[in-house]
Amino acid sequence: MSLFKARDWWSTALGEKEEFDQGCLCVADVDNSGSGQDKITVGSYMGYLRIFNPHPVKPGDGMQAEDLLLEVQLRDPILQVEVGKFVSGTELLHLAVLHCRKLCVYAVSGTVGNVEHGNQYHVKLMYEHNLQRTACNMTYGPFGGVKGRDLICIQSMDGMLMLFEQESYAFGRFLPGFLLPGPLTYSSRTDSFITVSSCQQVESYKYQVLAFATDADERQETEQQKLSSGKRLVMDWVLNIGEQALDICVVSFNQTSSVFVLGERNFFCLKDNGQIRFMKKLDCSPSCFLPYCSVSEGTINTLVGNHNNMLHVYQDVTLKWATQLPHIPVAVKVGNLQDLKGVIVTLSDSGHLQCSYLGTDPSLFQAPKVESREINYEELDREMKELQKIIKESTKTQGTSVLHIITLQSRLAVQKTKLSICVQPPLALTHDQFIFDDIESCRSKAVALSVFLKGNCPPAELEGNAVASYSTPTDLNPEGIPRVAQCKFRLPLRLICFPAQPSKTANHKLTIDTNKPPVSLVNLFPDFADQSNEDQVNVLGFQFLTGSRITLLASKTSQRYRIQSEQLEDLWLITKELTFRLEEHFKKENSKDFTCTFSGSVPLQEYFELIDCHFELRLNAEKFEELLSERAIQFRAIERRLLTRFKDKTPAPLQHLDTLLEGTYRQIIALADAAEENQANMFQAFTKLKSATQLVIMLISLWQKLSTDQVAILEATFLPLMQDTQELGWEESVDAAISHLLRTCLSKSSKEQALTLTTQLSIPKDTSRLKKHITLLCDRLAKGGRLCLSTDTNIQQTMVMPGKILLHVLHSKCVHIFKLKRMYL
């Protein structure tokens, strides 16, 4: 931000809901007053032409009625206004106004008034040219070295340069390789037209080359014209600047001329032969610029406006001044107004016109006096308590992260060691990869990283995976033999939740039975319980960072524990943590016969609701993809038709194709936003589904007292995918896996074993078959069925090599040491 604001000398707002752009501002003595004072000419896209002569009584005054010399509404939108010697037989200045299909040249004059209203100004149409092609912009100058008059060159939207010798049309030429129009200017020193093409190239064309090139009306060259090189339009020079250009300007000073080009990220200064004199990288996105000669300093300065409401003054590449504007300028000029030289005139796209100067007197803000009132201390105390309560709650619910220290130890010397750590989303890591130099034997390397929650739902797993890849050098292979070691580590529960008040009511409840006396929850969860609170011996409350609450109760008389929550998927992590801590507790007491059981009913109906929710989002994603494909095809078809119309020599009416193109574009953007939102919802639904699936697997294993191998088969059946995609989704994968179990180890007869399964997986029409198979799986397990793998399955053997590598994972007062076996990749 600038220390000093631009000092407002005069300003006004033009019209209502009018739009302005780069070529809508011109500062010159348009009425040929001869006093040396410039007038401000502004044209708008609504067709209004205004001429101002500011005369503020004191700096900062707004517009007075006499400041507006002329206001007239023309029939067509005004694209650009310029002042020059455009009428033959005289060297007086005239006003050229460019419309979409017309070029008009006016004479501006005033008559002395005899009353208090002052002088009267009017415009007189000198001549006009009806254009055969839609205009984009124009430039003017003494083309061909003529004296005492200015010619006009108009660039059309389809790449044609139309040249007018004042009242007469001279000729037209098409630019080679044209796609989209760019800024255009004229260099009188080299008698060249300079533009920036859509190929991000600055291109220069000599006026003489344009004059003797093939006429634009004969675009199909004959063989004789192709052989005659003198009639072909060729560039004088070309320079690739690597970005699109916003504006271009030529400044002559001290017998030399420079070409200034304003890009999207830089502005360039070129010599008149196309060589780069210098370039400056801009810190902010520019909106307009104006190079001008500084006679007092003998240099060329450049005014650059940007989208941060700033105006920078550069001397070559050095920033000399920065000032703040009240608007984003789209056009900037410098003029002499009321004997004040060097007034900066800026125009915004909404019509804010301001004349300012660069001053060093900062505007000082004085705070208004505040009315005194009596202080209500009771109300202040009440407000303070409420704010402290809000701060306390926000401190509790803010995201936490856990610091981990991972140590690699090796008995042998290893090299090219790379450590990769992975956690289940929505958990995230500050660093997930580490590369080490050679590790000597019996040495260790330690790294530190943090794990945090990044999402609006709790994760389905509080486990991470660390993989170390390395090479062990040998005498025969100095480069080393590649090997890999990996381990899993648990993350603390405090990473995703914090203590909260228990809830008495809940929609979902689970009861876990044990064969041992109940354990105090204070001893099981010392990191969540308050040792001084006796009520927490049998009840604890947990609240996830995402907002869900879970209550854990321990029976005083029986050997049971109850977990309850409003959402089924939220029960999983607390239930798993409870069983894990119970096993660890009795393991410390050398009790080897501890078991947990579940005697209730498996909540399949609630589980099926989560399946339906996830499947519905998958169907929505498929619909969005189809709609996006249809709209993209429609958009490309409209583009082709519009391009054909624009390139046509005699273009036909657009027939609202531009409106249809804009409507289709908005539909594509809306569909893309909806598809992105649906993708985020589908990720959350899949995470909740995995949590509920893990809970169902645990309940089935406790219910049927499944072995570790059987639980592994069940997990492989219900959790075959780490990520859910449209090509291969969870529903069809699980359905195929359950169907295989029902056909093999859980089959009732040989007839079921003879059934063949489909080998190609695709998204189903609904989830009725999947839910039927899950229910059938539970029924057959309840009737004595057992999970096992086929005995004829080819099991791959893993070659284990001698030697071990150790990984230490430390977090939150817990240390896990994993012993890893080295093996071939």
Side-chain angles (χ1 to χ4, degrees):
M1 179 177 178
S2 174
L3 177 63
F4 303 107
K5 296 182 179 179
R7 311 310 301 157
D8 186 8
W9 184 70
W10 179 87
S11 62
T12 184
L14 305 180
E16 294 182 359
K17 297 181 179 180
E18 293 188 50
E19 294 184 7
F20 304 84
D21 206 349
Q22 187 179 82
C24 296
L25 176 65
C26 181
V27 177
D29 187 14
V30 66
D31 61 343
N32 299 281
S33 64
S35 61
Q37 295 188 8
D38 295 328
K39 313 303 185 297
I40 302 175
T41 304
V42 183
S44 74
Y45 286 166
M46 298 295 292
Y48 285 94
L49 178 66
R50 300 178 178 93
I51 301 177
F52 296 92
N53 186 18
H55 286 82
V57 178
K58 60 180 180 178
D61 286 352
M63 186 194 75
Q64 303 297 324
E66 58 270 17
D67 294 342
L68 180 60
L69 302 182
L70 177 69
E71 181 178 10
V72 59
Q73 184 177 13
L74 306 179
R75 296 181 57 185
D76 302 315
I78 299 175
L79 303 182
Q80 190 172 344
V81 290
E82 298 290 351
V83 174
K85 303 173 183 179
F86 301 133
V87 177
S88 60
T90 177
E91 294 188 5
L92 295 178
L93 298 179
H94 290 77
L95 176 64
V97 180
L98 179 64
H99 303 284
C100 296
R101 288 277 181 159
K102 185 188 298 183
L103 171 66
C104 301
V105 175
Y106 298 93
V108 180
S109 60
T111 57
V112 179
N114 296 323
V115 294
E116 61 181 3
H117 295 295
N119 300 337
Q120 296 180 0
Y121 285 81
H122 61 275
V123 292
K124 178 182 178 181
L125 179 64
M126 304 302 295
Y127 63 87
E128 66 178 20
H129 293 289
N130 292 318
L131 307 179
Q132 299 298 320
R133 301 179 180 277
T134 303
C136 176
N137 51 25
M138 68 175 175
T139 186
Y140 68 95
F143 305 160
V146 297
K147 302 295 183 179
R149 57 176 179 160
D150 292 324
L151 310 184
I152 298 177
C153 176
I154 299 177
Q155 180 179 208
S156 67
M157 295 295 293
D158 58 351
M160 180 180 178
L161 297 183
M162 297 174 285
L163 286 92
F164 297 88
E165 294 183 357
Q166 297 181 339
E167 292 85 352
S168 304
Y169 172 73
F171 57 86
R173 301 290 182 264
F174 281 98
L175 297 178
F178 180 86
L179 182 60
L180 294 174
L184 178 68
T185 190
Y186 172 75
S187 173
S188 59
R189 178 177 174 82
T190 59
D191 195 23
S192 303
F193 295 97
I194 305 174
T195 183
V196 182
S197 67
S198 56
C199 299
Q200 302 177 353
Q201 295 182 152
V202 183
E203 301 173 355
S204 175
Y205 298 91
K206 290 283 189 179
Y207 174 77
Q208 296 296 332
V209 175
L210 290 173
F212 290 100
T214 304
D215 192 78
D217 296 330
E218 303 174 4
R219 297 204 58 176
Q220 301 296 332
E221 296 182 352
T222 63
E223 293 297 328
Q224 182 179 1
Q225 290 172 338
K226 289 182 179 180
L227 295 176
S228 176
S229 59
K231 292 188 177 182
R232 297 182 60 185
L233 182 58
V234 294
M235 306 175 192
D236 182 32
W237 54 263
V238 62
L239 175 67
N240 193 324
I241 60 174
E243 58 184 300
Q244 296 295 337
L246 304 180
D247 198 0
I248 187 170
C249 184
V250 175
V251 178
S252 298
F253 186 69
N254 290 339
Q255 303 301 320
T256 61
S257 64
S258 299
V259 181
F260 287 83
V261 181
L262 179 65
E264 296 175 327
R265 297 175 298 275
N266 307 273
F267 82 85
F268 305 84
C269 178
L270 314 178
K271 298 180 181 179
D272 51 16
N273 59 358
Q275 296 180 358
I276 296 180
R277 193 183 301 274
F278 64 83
M279 65 174 289
K280 172 65 178 176
K281 181 176 178 59
L282 302 176
D283 297 329
C284 304
S285 176
S287 59
C288 62
F289 88 140
L290 176 68
Y292 66 96
C293 299
S294 177
V295 180
S296 59
E297 299 180 3
T299 59
I300 297 178
N301 296 343
T302 306
L303 297 175
V304 180
N306 59 42
H307 288 274
N308 289 352
N309 294 18
M310 299 291 293
L311 185 68
H312 291 170
V313 182
Y314 290 93
Q315 189 177 85
D316 292 338
V317 295
T318 305
L319 179 63
K320 289 295 185 178
W321 194 266
T323 184
Q324 188 176 18
L325 297 174
H327 57 268
I328 299 176
V330 296
V332 58
K333 301 291 182 181
V334 175
N336 300 327
L337 303 174
Q338 197 182 2
D339 299 328
L340 184 62
K341 297 182 179 181
V343 178
I344 301 175
V345 184
T346 55
L347 176 66
S348 70
D349 60 351
S350 59
H352 188 103
L353 180 64
Q354 176 173 319
C355 298
S356 55
Y357 59 92
L358 303 180
T360 57
D361 48 336
S363 59
L364 300 178
F365 171 75
Q366 295 181 354
K369 295 182 178 180
V370 181
E371 297 181 359
S372 60
R373 59 178 181 176
E374 296 183 359
I375 301 176
N376 190 339
Y377 291 99
E378 294 181 357
E379 184 180 352
L380 290 178
D381 290 339
R382 193 181 308 110
E383 184 180 359
M384 178 65 71
K385 290 179 180 179
E386 292 178 356
L387 292 175
Q388 289 177 347
K389 184 178 179 181
I390 294 173
I391 294 173
K392 186 176 180 181
E393 291 295 328
S394 63
T395 305
K396 285 183 178 180
T397 57
Q398 67 181 356
T400 58
S401 63
V402 178
L403 177 65
H404 293 257
I405 299 177
I406 301 180
T407 305
L408 283 82
Q409 294 180 350
S410 178
R411 184 173 58 85
L412 303 175
V414 295
Q415 59 186 15
K416 300 179 182 179
T417 306
K418 181 179 180 181
L419 177 65
S420 300
I421 300 96
C422 178
V423 293
Q424 293 292 329
L427 294 178
L429 298 164
T430 54
H431 297 86
D432 57 355
Q433 288 188 354
F434 300 89
I435 299 177
F436 304 93
D437 297 330
D438 298 345
I439 302 178
E440 299 179 359
S441 60
C442 301
R443 293 294 182 91
S444 63
K445 292 283 187 179
V447 295
L449 60 115
S450 295
V451 184
F452 59 94
L453 182 64
K454 185 182 179 181
N456 297 325
C457 61
E461 283 289 347
L462 281 177
E463 291 184 353
N465 192 21
V467 180
S469 60
Y470 57 97
S471 299
T472 55
T474 61
D475 296 337
L476 298 178
N477 189 357
E479 294 293 331
I481 302 175
R483 307 183 190 280
V484 66
Q486 61 180 351
C487 74
K488 291 184 178 181
F489 56 90
R490 299 186 73 254
L491 298 170
L493 187 62
R494 285 299 293 263
L495 177 64
I496 60 169
C497 65
F498 56 89
Q501 289 294 328
S503 178
K504 296 182 180 180
T505 60
N507 294 333
H508 303 277
K509 300 178 181 179
L510 294 177
T511 302
I512 303 297
D513 299 326
T514 63
N515 60 347
K516 295 294 181 181
V519 183
S520 172
L521 297 182
V522 176
N523 297 331
L524 278 180
F525 295 90
D527 48 343
F528 285 88
D530 187 0
Q531 301 291 338
S532 61
N533 192 350
E534 297 181 355
D535 295 338
Q536 293 187 345
V537 174
N538 299 314
V539 60
L540 272 182
F542 306 87
Q543 182 172 347
F544 287 134
L545 296 179
T546 55
S548 303
R549 291 198 176 191
I550 305 95
T551 303
L552 174 61
L553 302 97
S555 176
K556 297 180 181 180
T557 57
S558 60
Q559 304 168 354
R560 295 181 175 180
Y561 301 87
R562 172 174 291 180
I563 309 98
Q564 58 187 29
S565 176
E566 294 296 330
Q567 305 294 333
L568 176 66
E569 63 273 9
D570 294 334
L571 300 174
W572 156 241
L573 290 177
I574 304 302
T575 306
K576 181 183 181 182
E577 192 72 18
L578 172 65
T579 57
F580 174 77
R581 297 198 181 197
L582 285 173
E583 292 175 356
E584 293 294 321
H585 174 78
F586 288 106
K587 188 182 295 183
K588 292 178 182 179
E589 295 184 354
N590 295 326
S591 177
K592 300 182 180 179
D593 59 343
F594 170 76
T595 58
C596 295
T597 57
F598 175 71
S599 57
S601 59
V602 180
L604 290 182
Q605 293 302 321
E606 295 85 350
Y607 180 54
F608 291 159
E609 291 178 2
L610 292 173
I611 294 177
D612 292 336
C613 178
H614 174 260
F615 185 72
E616 182 180 357
L617 291 174
R618 287 190 63 195
L619 294 180
N620 291 341
E622 197 174 44
K623 294 178 182 178
F624 284 132
E625 186 176 353
E626 294 176 358
L627 289 174
L628 276 173
S629 178
E630 293 176 0
R631 294 299 181 270
I633 294 174
Q634 177 179 327
F635 189 80
R636 288 192 292 269
I638 300 172
E639 277 187 324
R640 285 193 296 268
R641 291 194 177 186
L642 278 175
L643 191 59
T644 303
R645 297 282 178 93
F646 287 142
K647 285 189 174 182
D648 193 0
K649 197 171 181 180
T650 56
L654 296 181
Q655 296 179 348
H656 302 289
L657 282 177
D658 52 344
T659 306
L660 184 60
L661 182 71
E662 182 180 359
T664 306
Y665 173 75
R666 291 179 178 177
Q667 289 180 358
I668 291 176
I669 296 299
L671 285 173
D673 293 340
E676 187 176 6
E677 182 181 359
N678 184 81
Q679 188 70 24
N681 295 334
M682 190 165 64
F683 170 76
Q684 292 188 10
F686 186 59
T687 304
K688 294 179 180 180
L689 180 59
K690 287 195 294 184
S691 299
T693 302
Q694 296 271 25
L695 180 64
V696 169
I697 293 173
M698 171 181 276
L699 296 181
I700 292 176
S701 62
L702 297 179
W703 170 42
Q704 292 297 317
K705 299 181 177 62
L706 301 181
S707 63
T708 305
D709 294 338
Q710 291 175 330
V711 173
I713 295 175
L714 210 58
E715 290 178 348
T717 302
F718 279 88
L719 296 170
L721 301 175
M722 295 297 295
Q723 295 181 349
D724 194 31
T725 61
Q726 287 297 107
E727 292 77 12
L728 182 61
W730 182 87
E731 286 79 8
E732 55 266 29
S733 302
V734 173
D735 188 28
I738 295 178
S739 301
H740 176 75
L741 292 180
L742 295 176
R743 188 176 63 89
T744 54
C745 59
L746 296 180
S747 62
K748 284 187 176 181
S749 61
S750 58
K751 182 179 180 181
E752 290 185 353
Q753 295 182 357
L755 296 175
T756 58
L757 299 176
T758 58
T759 58
Q760 185 175 1
L761 298 181
S762 59
I763 183 171
K765 295 182 179 179
D766 52 41
T767 59
S768 58
R769 173 174 171 170
L770 173 61
K771 292 186 285 188
K772 178 181 177 181
H773 285 171
I774 294 176
T775 306
L776 188 59
L777 173 69
C778 295
D779 291 341
R780 295 202 178 170
L781 288 176
K783 294 178 181 178
R786 284 297 173 260
L787 300 173
C788 64
L789 295 176
S790 179
T791 56
D792 59 349
T793 303
N794 295 326
I795 302 177
Q796 297 181 353
Q797 299 294 329
T798 303
M799 182 179 296
V800 180
M801 301 300 297
K804 298 178 180 178
I805 186 170
L806 295 180
L807 271 175
H808 299 257
V809 182
L810 289 76
H811 63 79
S812 297
K813 303 179 182 179
C814 297
V815 180
H816 299 281
I817 301 179
F818 300 89
K819 186 179 295 184
L820 304 176
K821 297 181 179 179
R822 291 191 313 208
M823 60 190 71
Y824 284 113
L825 285 175

